[in-house]
Amino acid sequence: MAEGLMKQLYGQRAYVQSAGVHNDMEVDGFSIAVCNELGIEISRHRSRSFEEMQEWGDDLGQFDLIIALSPASQRQALELTRFFHMDVEYWPIIDPTAIGETREAKLQAYRQARDMIRDRMIARFGPPSEAGQDS
């Protein structure tokens, strides 16, 4: 969700790559649904692990900032910064995967997480760019 939101809000202003502790081969259906509500298509998105990024030749030292959305990703990002100079920020966003019994309750939890991420982005990076809104 975060990569899709960032690209929608800020377009080409920054290079964004979703990564995490583990790679997720399939995007969660609830994430797809709540992003679609905002016109963001993430069904083909794939998140890579930090390890995969390094194996595939990504130079992690070229990134300026890592935003961690979970304590586990924050720990891994801080471990990486021992070798690469980059800033790490932790944004405590709820994990919606275990919230809610019904479909509507689950969607509401995912909407809350999506909106928390969006609000943090705007607070951190400023108002969305015109180009970002059209991307």
Side-chain angles (χ1 to χ4, degrees):
M1 285 194 292
E3 181 179 346
L5 282 164
M6 187 73 178
K7 288 178 177 177
Q8 183 196 49
L9 294 174
Y10 301 104
Q12 301 295 318
R13 279 180 36 188
Y15 174 74
V16 180
Q17 174 61 56
S18 182
V21 177
H22 305 287
N23 65 337
D24 296 320
M25 295 309 293
E26 297 296 325
V27 177
D28 183 285
F30 291 108
S31 294
I32 293 169
V34 300
C35 284
N36 280 340
E37 293 173 352
L38 300 181
I40 302 169
E41 171 57 51
I42 63 168
S43 64
R44 290 172 285 170
H45 175 79
R46 298 293 177 264
S47 177
R48 298 187 286 168
S49 67
F50 290 121
E51 187 175 285
E52 277 182 318
M53 290 178 71
Q54 289 177 307
E55 287 172 4
W56 294 357
D58 285 331
D59 181 0
L60 298 180
Q62 296 299 311
F63 289 90
D64 297 318
L65 174 65
I66 294 176
I67 298 173
L69 302 181
S70 73
S73 62
Q74 179 190 28
R75 281 190 300 277
Q76 182 138 12
L78 289 171
E79 178 67 23
L80 285 174
T81 61
R82 291 179 3 164
F83 307 106
F84 303 105
H85 177 74
M86 64 188 80
D87 293 329
V88 176
E89 292 181 18
Y90 173 56
W91 294 358
I93 304 298
I94 64 163
D95 177 1
T97 58
I99 300 175
E101 296 292 321
T102 66
R103 176 176 168 72
E104 189 51 43
K106 287 190 174 295
L107 284 170
Q108 191 56 39
Y110 276 79
R111 287 181 189 113
Q112 184 180 2
R114 175 201 66 199
D115 294 345
M116 289 174 75
I117 294 168
R118 184 180 190 282
D119 292 347
R120 289 296 299 254
M121 284 180 180
I122 292 170
R124 172 66 167 85
F125 301 112
S129 64
E130 291 297 318
Q133 292 174 340
D134 296 331
S135 298

